[in-house]
Coordinates of all heavy atoms in Angstrom, one line a residue:
D569 N 0.8 -1.2 0.0 CA 0.0 0.0 0.0 C 0.9 1.2 0.0 O 2.0 1.3 0.6 CB -1.0 0.0 1.2 CG -0.4 0.4 2.5 OD1 -0.1 1.5 2.7 OD2 -0.3 -0.5 3.4
I570 N 0.4 2.3 -0.7 CA 1.1 3.5 -0.9 C 0.2 4.6 -0.4 O -0.9 4.8 -1.0 CB 1.5 3.7 -2.4 CG1 2.3 2.5 -2.9 CG2 2.4 5.0 -2.5 CD1 1.5 1.6 -3.8
A571 N 0.7 5.4 0.5 CA -0.2 6.4 1.1 C 0.5 7.6 1.6 O 1.5 7.5 2.3 CB -1.1 5.8 2.2
T572 N 0.0 8.8 1.4 CA 0.4 10.1 2.1 C -0.2 10.1 3.4 O -1.3 10.7 3.6 CB 0.0 11.3 1.3 OG1 -1.4 11.2 0.9 CG2 0.8 11.4 0.0
L573 N 0.3 9.3 4.4 CA -0.4 8.9 5.6 C -0.2 9.9 6.8 O -1.1 10.2 7.4 CB -0.2 7.5 5.9 CG -1.4 6.8 6.6 CD1 -2.5 6.7 5.7 CD2 -1.0 5.5 7.2
T574 N 1.1 10.2 7.0 CA 1.3 10.9 8.3 C 2.4 12.0 8.2 O 3.4 11.9 7.5 CB 1.8 9.9 9.4 OG1 3.2 9.5 9.1 CG2 0.9 8.8 9.6
G575 N 2.1 13.1 8.9 CA 3.1 14.2 9.0 C 4.3 13.7 9.7 O 5.4 14.2 9.5
A576 N 4.1 12.7 10.6 CA 5.2 12.1 11.4 C 6.3 11.5 10.5 O 7.5 11.6 10.8 CB 4.7 11.1 12.4
A577 N 5.9 11.0 9.3 CA 6.9 10.4 8.4 C 7.8 11.6 7.8 O 9.0 11.3 7.6 CB 6.2 9.7 7.2
I578 N 7.2 12.8 7.7 CA 8.0 13.9 7.2 C 9.0 14.4 8.3 O 10.1 14.7 8.1 CB 7.1 15.1 6.8 CG1 6.1 14.6 5.7 CG2 7.9 16.2 6.3 CD1 5.1 15.6 5.3
T579 N 8.5 14.4 9.6 CA 9.3 14.7 10.7 C 10.5 13.8 10.8 O 11.6 14.3 11.1 CB 8.4 14.7 12.0 OG1 7.3 15.5 11.9 CG2 9.3 15.1 13.2
A580 N 10.3 12.5 10.6 CA 11.3 11.5 10.7 C 12.3 11.6 9.6 O 13.6 11.5 9.8 CB 10.8 10.1 10.9
L581 N 11.9 11.7 8.4 CA 12.7 11.5 7.2 C 12.8 12.7 6.2 O 13.5 12.6 5.2 CB 12.2 10.3 6.4 CG 12.3 8.9 7.2 CD1 11.6 7.8 6.4 CD2 13.8 8.5 7.4
G582 N 12.0 13.7 6.5 CA 12.0 14.9 5.6 C 11.4 14.5 4.2 O 10.5 13.7 4.2
H583 N 11.9 15.1 3.2 CA 11.2 15.0 1.9 C 12.1 14.1 0.9 O 11.9 14.2 -0.3 CB 10.9 16.3 1.3 CG 9.9 17.1 2.0 ND1 8.6 16.9 1.9 CD2 10.1 18.1 3.0 CE1 7.9 17.7 2.7 NE2 8.8 18.4 3.4
H584 N 13.0 13.4 1.4 CA 13.9 12.6 0.6 C 13.7 11.1 0.6 O 14.1 10.4 -0.4 CB 15.4 12.9 1.0 CG 15.8 14.3 1.0 ND1 15.8 15.0 -0.2 CD2 16.1 15.2 2.0 CE1 16.1 16.3 0.1 NE2 16.3 16.4 1.4
T585 N 13.0 10.6 1.6 CA 12.8 9.1 1.7 C 11.4 8.8 2.2 O 10.9 9.5 3.0 CB 13.9 8.7 2.8 OG1 15.1 9.2 2.5 CG2 13.9 7.1 2.8
S586 N 10.9 7.7 1.7 CA 9.6 7.2 2.1 C 9.8 6.3 3.3 O 10.8 5.5 3.4 CB 8.9 6.5 1.0 OG 8.6 7.3 -0.1
A587 N 8.8 6.3 4.2 CA 8.9 5.4 5.4 C 8.3 4.0 5.0 O 7.3 3.9 4.3 CB 8.1 5.9 6.6
L588 N 9.0 2.9 5.4 CA 8.6 1.6 5.0 C 8.3 0.8 6.2 O 9.1 0.7 7.2 CB 9.7 0.9 4.2 CG 9.6 -0.6 3.9 CD1 8.4 -0.9 3.0 CD2 10.9 -1.1 3.2
F589 N 7.1 0.1 6.2 CA 6.7 -0.8 7.2 C 6.3 -2.1 6.6 O 5.6 -2.1 5.6 CB 5.5 -0.3 8.0 CG 5.8 1.1 8.6 CD1 5.7 2.3 7.9 CD2 6.1 1.1 10.0 CE1 5.9 3.5 8.5 CE2 6.4 2.4 10.6 CZ 6.3 3.5 9.8
C590 N 6.9 -3.2 7.1 CA 6.7 -4.5 6.4 C 6.7 -5.7 7.3 O 7.4 -5.6 8.4 CB 7.9 -4.6 5.4 SG 7.7 -5.9 4.1
N591 N 6.0 -6.7 7.0 CA 6.0 -7.9 7.8 C 6.8 -9.1 7.2 O 6.7 -10.2 7.6 CB 4.5 -8.4 8.1 CG 3.8 -8.8 6.8 OD1 4.4 -8.8 5.7 ND2 2.5 -9.1 6.9
S592 N 7.5 -8.8 6.1 CA 8.2 -9.8 5.4 C 9.7 -9.3 5.1 O 9.8 -8.3 4.3 CB 7.5 -10.1 4.0 OG 8.4 -10.8 3.1
P593 N 10.7 -9.9 5.6 CA 12.1 -9.4 5.4 C 12.4 -9.4 3.9 O 13.1 -8.5 3.4 CB 12.9 -10.4 6.2 CG 12.0 -10.9 7.3 CD 10.7 -10.9 6.7
S594 N 12.0 -10.4 3.2 CA 12.3 -10.5 1.7 C 11.7 -9.4 0.9 O 12.3 -8.8 0.0 CB 12.0 -11.9 1.2 OG 10.6 -12.1 1.3
L595 N 10.4 -9.1 1.2 CA 9.7 -8.0 0.6 C 10.4 -6.7 0.9 O 10.6 -5.8 0.1 CB 8.2 -8.0 0.9 CG 7.4 -6.9 0.3 CD1 7.4 -6.9 -1.2 CD2 5.9 -7.0 0.8
E596 N 10.7 -6.5 2.2 CA 11.4 -5.3 2.7 C 12.7 -5.0 1.9 O 12.9 -3.9 1.4 CB 11.6 -5.4 4.2 CG 12.3 -4.1 4.8 CD 12.5 -4.3 6.3 OE1 11.5 -4.2 7.0 OE2 13.6 -4.5 6.7
N597 N 13.5 -6.1 1.8 CA 14.8 -6.0 1.1 C 14.5 -5.7 -0.4 O 15.3 -4.8 -0.9 CB 15.6 -7.3 1.3 CG 16.1 -7.4 2.7 OD1 16.3 -6.5 3.4 ND2 16.3 -8.7 3.1
A598 N 13.6 -6.3 -1.0 CA 13.3 -6.1 -2.4 C 12.9 -4.6 -2.7 O 13.3 -4.0 -3.6 CB 12.2 -7.0 -2.9
L599 N 12.0 -4.1 -1.8 CA 11.6 -2.7 -2.0 C 12.7 -1.7 -1.7 O 12.9 -0.7 -2.4 CB 10.4 -2.4 -1.0 CG 9.1 -3.0 -1.4 CD1 8.1 -2.9 -0.3 CD2 8.5 -2.3 -2.7
M600 N 13.6 -2.0 -0.8 CA 14.7 -1.1 -0.5 C 15.7 -1.1 -1.7 O 16.2 -0.1 -2.1 CB 15.4 -1.5 0.8 CG 14.6 -1.2 2.0 SD 15.5 -1.5 3.5 CE 16.7 -0.2 3.5
Q601 N 15.9 -2.3 -2.3 CA 16.8 -2.4 -3.4 C 16.2 -1.7 -4.6 O 16.9 -0.9 -5.3 CB 17.1 -3.9 -3.8 CG 18.0 -4.6 -2.8 CD 18.2 -6.1 -3.2 OE1 17.9 -6.5 -4.3 NE2 18.6 -6.9 -2.2
A602 N 14.9 -1.8 -4.8 CA 14.2 -1.2 -5.9 C 14.3 0.3 -5.8 O 14.5 1.1 -6.7 CB 12.8 -1.6 -6.0
G603 N 14.2 0.8 -4.5 CA 14.2 2.2 -4.2 C 15.6 2.8 -4.5 O 15.8 3.9 -5.0
D604 N 16.7 2.0 -4.2 CA 18.0 2.5 -4.5 C 18.3 2.6 -6.0 O 18.8 3.6 -6.5 CB 19.1 1.5 -3.9 CG 19.1 1.6 -2.4 OD1 18.7 2.7 -1.8 OD2 19.6 0.7 -1.7
I605 N 17.8 1.6 -6.7 CA 18.0 1.6 -8.2 C 17.2 2.8 -8.8 O 17.8 3.4 -9.7 CB 17.5 0.2 -8.8 CG1 18.4 -0.9 -8.3 CG2 17.5 0.3 -10.3 CD1 17.8 -2.3 -8.6
A606 N 16.0 3.0 -8.3 CA 15.2 4.1 -8.9 C 15.4 5.5 -8.4 O 14.8 6.4 -8.8 CB 13.7 3.7 -8.7
N607 N 16.4 5.5 -7.4 CA 16.6 6.8 -6.7 C 15.3 7.3 -6.1 O 15.0 8.5 -6.1 CB 17.3 7.9 -7.6 CG 17.8 9.0 -6.8 OD1 18.3 8.8 -5.6 ND2 17.9 10.2 -7.4
D608 N 14.5 6.4 -5.6 CA 13.2 6.7 -4.9 C 13.2 5.9 -3.6 O 12.5 4.9 -3.5 CB 12.1 6.4 -5.8 CG 10.7 6.8 -5.2 OD1 10.7 7.5 -4.2 OD2 9.7 6.4 -5.8
R609 N 14.1 6.3 -2.7 CA 14.4 5.4 -1.6 C 13.4 5.3 -0.5 O 12.6 6.3 -0.2 CB 15.8 5.8 -1.0 CG 16.9 5.6 -2.0 CD 18.3 6.1 -1.5 NE 18.3 7.5 -1.4 CZ 19.3 8.2 -1.1 NH1 20.5 7.6 -0.8 NH2 19.3 9.6 -1.1
C610 N 13.4 4.2 0.2 CA 12.6 4.0 1.4 C 13.4 3.5 2.6 O 14.5 3.0 2.3 CB 11.4 3.1 1.1 SG 11.9 1.5 0.4
W611 N 13.0 3.7 3.8 CA 13.7 3.3 5.0 C 12.8 2.6 6.0 O 11.7 3.1 6.2 CB 14.3 4.6 5.6 CG 15.4 4.2 6.7 CD1 15.2 4.3 8.0 CD2 16.7 3.7 6.4 NE1 16.4 3.9 8.6 CE2 17.3 3.5 7.7 CE3 17.4 3.4 5.3 CZ2 18.6 3.0 7.8 CZ3 18.7 2.9 5.4 CH2 19.3 2.7 6.7
P612 N 13.3 1.4 6.5 CA 12.4 0.6 7.3 C 12.2 1.1 8.7 O 13.2 1.6 9.3 CB 13.1 -0.8 7.3 CG 14.5 -0.4 7.1 CD 14.6 0.8 6.2
F613 N 11.0 0.9 9.2 CA 10.7 1.3 10.6 C 10.1 0.0 11.3 O 9.6 -0.9 10.6 CB 9.6 2.4 10.6 CG 10.1 3.7 10.4 CD1 10.6 4.1 9.1 CD2 10.2 4.6 11.5 CE1 11.1 5.4 8.9 CE2 10.7 5.9 11.3 CZ 11.1 6.3 10.0

């Protein structure tokens, strides 16, 4: 799911990185790798 959900995500990461929440380590790693390749990065919480 993709959502402009919380101002707190901006407080934590500013406007450069999306906050990532995940229940699957393999999915989390895949999204972080995809974000690095696309220069659209995410960071796990």
Side-chain angles (χ1 to χ4, degrees):
D569 78 69
I570 307 105
T572 48
L573 212 66
T574 67
I578 305 174
T579 303
L581 294 171
H583 295 278
H584 303 295
T585 311
S586 300
L588 170 62
F589 300 83
C590 196
N591 64 3
S592 162
S594 60
L595 178 58
E596 181 179 287
N597 289 334
L599 285 167
M600 289 185 71
Q601 286 178 22
D604 286 340
I605 292 165
N607 195 30
D608 185 8
R609 289 175 294 187
C610 54
W611 192 254
F613 282 73

